[in-house]
Amino acid sequence: DLITELKPCLTNSMNRSDLWQGYKLMALSYLALNDLENARKAAEDMLEINPQYPPSLLKDPKDFIDLVNSVVVIPKFSLGLSAAFGINYSFVNVIGAPYTISNYTKTYTSKPGYQFGIFGGYTINRNIDISLGLYGSVKNYGISYNTNGFNVNVNEKLTYLEVPIIAKYTFGNSRLRPYLEIGGYEGILLSAYSDFNSTYGTTSQKLSDNNVSSNDRRNNTNFGLLGGAGLTYKVWQGHFLVDVKYCSGLTNIVNGANRYSDENLYFKYYYLDDDIKLSNFLLSVGYVYYMNYKVIRHNNASKGAN
């Protein structure tokens, strides 16, 4: 009788709270009749409206809890924030022979930077999703060398707007889930500055030039590939995440046509830019908010959907 009374009431004109509770009553009624197929359909309808419904061990029957937990609900579109400070390290790979004014060897060192940004994603199935991001990334590295009695130290600071495209595979179905990811990125140079400091031997004779623009000596774009791994933990309408990535730059960031454009650098510091590729190791923490969900229906699951 309850099922007969409920069916004409379950219309889109009902408010969402009443509607999902109506489908819950329908599922409970079918379970009481041992009609598992219709009970599952009613539970799927309930979860379409209230995908985050948490079954209660105190209020819900065990067979209803088992039924709800057996229905696969995946997020579709997501929006997230990612931030990491002081744990972005740049690695320099010199292309070909180095450029020098005199006979000396440059030593490149990694220095910390940071990145922050937003990303949106689309979930294909329970395990696979793709995302597109927009990040501000500050990269730092140092150069040191000794020539003609001078000890020279250079610090380069590059700021990029980066657009990564990432495919991710997530394992398991618990609150804590590991994942692997692979993709590519394009970086657009926003600014580039260098600090130059030179000391002559053990004396107090020093030279310095800070915030020297190197924009004209850098290429405007940087392409690369990335791979990484991480963990997500389900909280509220989304997940907290901890993520590690290695980004391998594929292009020369130095504009060779302007290598000799700043006379002050090679006359004063005996400095010329090498052709280099820039790669990064980074650690990010963030939160992903899921904007809507999709219920994997039993008839679709039986056809091979995850």
Side-chain angles (χ1 to χ4, degrees), residues 4 13 75 96 129 131 134-135 146 152 157 168 174 192 212 251 253 257 260 263 300:
T4 302
S13 61
D129 65 79
S131 64
L134 186 65
Y135 288 82
N146 299 315
V152 183
K157 181 178 181 180
K168 181 168 68 176
S174 60
V212 178
T251 57
I253 70 167
Y260 299 90
E263 295 182 356
N300 292 333

Side-chain angles (χ1 to χ4, degrees), residues 20 47 60 107 109 121 146-147 172 219 223 267 271 278 293 306:
W20 76 258
L47 291 171
D60 293 326
T107 300
T109 56
N146 299 315
T147 179
N219 289 320
F223 300 92
F267 281 127
Y271 177 80
L278 196 62
Y293 290 81
N306 289 325

